[in-house]
Amino acid sequence: MTNGPYLLGIDVGTTAVKTLLCDVNGNIISKFTSESYPVAHPKPGWADQDPNDWWEAVKFAMKGVLRTSRIRGDEIAGIGFGSQTDGCTPVKKNGKPLRPSMIWMDRRAIVECRWLKENLGAKIFETTGLACDPYHVAPKILWLRNNQPELYEEAYKFLNPGDFIVYKFTGNFITDYTLASCTMLFDIKRKKWSEELLEFMEIPIDKLPNVAPSASIAGEVLKETAEETGLKKGTPVVIGGGDEEIGVIGAGATKPGYVCDITGMAEPILIPVDRPIFDPKQVIELHGHGDPNKWILESPGIVSGGNYRWFRDQL
């Protein structure tokens, strides 16, 4: 075993939380995966997850990787995150979830997407690089306002799954370019919230987290979080970002000419580019990259692993 300090990566996926402990040279010391957590389908096309399930799984996986590696929490110099994208998680000012998160595979906001297409047309794609589709966050926010207005009004912030876990560690509401680029509210060229789209949809910018590059420090591990996870209070926490857009770095797809195929619950195919490129057919989307100076051309994720899971559960 190499000597510390060590770095810890945490991936909050659709089915489980995975942790990876390595040294500062990238040598893997230990891995640990939580037990799987469920996706609820209360109605056809709906897909909910309890954010508290993510947090319990994070704590379980954290303790597991420390136990199996025999590394102390105070030997870890920093932690960072990858997470599933396109989840709408409304929370109170204290970070408590107001309802289950509408995750990426949720399709309930069809009416809201139709309204956006009729009123904004190509403006959405030209600004955000995203197809107007129910799996993105903005239509889900509008669905919540139209169908659960009391929860919409009570919501202090709308967070992606990774943003929620970053808050649990640091107490700060912050997201990165990759997760922001999945919301359909982000100006993908200027890498900032689109005031024009927010004004049209009448979504206050204050209901969204601050935005920074993926490698930015989100804050430090809180005292209560340190006690729950085994980490040291004050350990730096890096924002990280979307599992796909961060995954391309781990796969080595850091410059044009590389293609990264990620197979999990979904299967997106990603190509890094040095400048914003927009598909004239509005099929291939443009997202943020873990490198703040790059972008990613990304196919909509086919539910590949999800199909296998359905087959396993049903047959």
Side-chain angles (χ1 to χ4, degrees), residues 65-282:
V65 77
L66 292 176
R67 182 178 67 252
T68 56
S69 66
R70 299 182 180 179
I71 298 297
R72 301 190 313 272
D74 61 7
E75 295 180 89
I76 295 176
I79 64 175
F81 301 94
S83 72
Q84 56 172 295
T85 65
D86 296 278
C88 178
T89 315
V91 299
K92 295 182 179 181
K93 192 171 184 178
N94 64 1
K96 183 178 179 180
L98 287 164
R99 69 175 316 281
S101 178
M102 293 177 271
I103 65 170
W104 60 272
M105 64 175 71
D106 191 283
R107 308 292 299 171
R108 76 187 71 185
I110 294 173
V111 171
E112 286 71 21
C113 278
R114 186 181 303 125
W115 178 79
L116 288 169
K117 289 177 182 178
E118 290 173 353
N119 288 276
L120 288 174
K123 183 67 176 178
I124 293 173
F125 190 80
E126 293 168 357
T127 303
T128 69
L130 304 182
C132 185
D133 191 275
Y135 80 92
H136 293 310
V137 175
K140 294 169 182 169
I141 294 176
L142 297 181
W143 182 93
L144 189 69
R145 186 171 68 199
N146 291 339
N147 295 274
Q148 298 178 348
E150 69 289 347
L151 292 186
Y152 172 85
E153 292 298 330
E154 192 177 356
Y156 180 70
K157 298 288 183 184
F158 293 106
L159 305 178
N160 258 293
D163 308 336
F164 175 76
I165 299 301
V166 167
Y167 173 83
K168 295 291 286 187
F169 272 90
T170 67
N172 296 327
F173 293 111
I174 190 166
T175 193
D176 85 306
Y177 294 159
T178 68
L179 288 172
S181 73
C182 299
T183 61
M184 227 171 79
L185 296 168
F186 192 64
D187 188 324
I188 192 63
K189 292 180 183 177
R190 298 175 177 83
K191 296 190 176 179
K192 57 184 286 189
W193 296 123
S194 170
E195 295 179 359
E196 184 178 1
L197 292 181
L198 287 167
E199 182 178 354
F200 178 82
M201 298 185 205
E202 298 182 339
I203 299 173
I205 195 170
D206 292 344
K207 284 186 177 286
L208 301 176
N210 295 326
V211 189
S214 307
S216 304
I217 301 294
E220 298 179 343
V221 173
L222 300 168
K223 179 177 182 294
E224 56 269 32
T225 304
E227 294 171 352
E228 290 186 272
T229 61
L231 288 172
K232 180 183 177 183
K233 175 182 176 293
T235 302
V237 177
V238 172
I239 305 172
D243 50 7
E244 304 156 10
E245 296 82 10
I246 296 298
V248 297
I249 297 176
T254 56
K255 57 184 179 180
Y258 285 84
V259 177
C260 182
D261 185 336
I262 298 178
T263 304
M265 196 72 164
E267 185 176 1
I269 299 173
L270 309 97
I271 302 173
V273 290
D274 287 332
R275 59 184 176 84
I277 298 175
F278 295 86
D279 176 12
K281 296 182 179 179
Q282 300 188 19

Side-chain angles (χ1 to χ4, degrees), residues 18-40:
K18 297 173 284 293
T19 54
L20 185 146
L21 185 68
C22 65
D23 64 19
V24 292
N25 295 314
N27 298 305
I28 296 174
I29 306 301
S30 182
K31 302 177 184 179
F32 196 89
T33 301
S34 74
E35 296 178 355
S36 63
Y37 34 74
V39 178

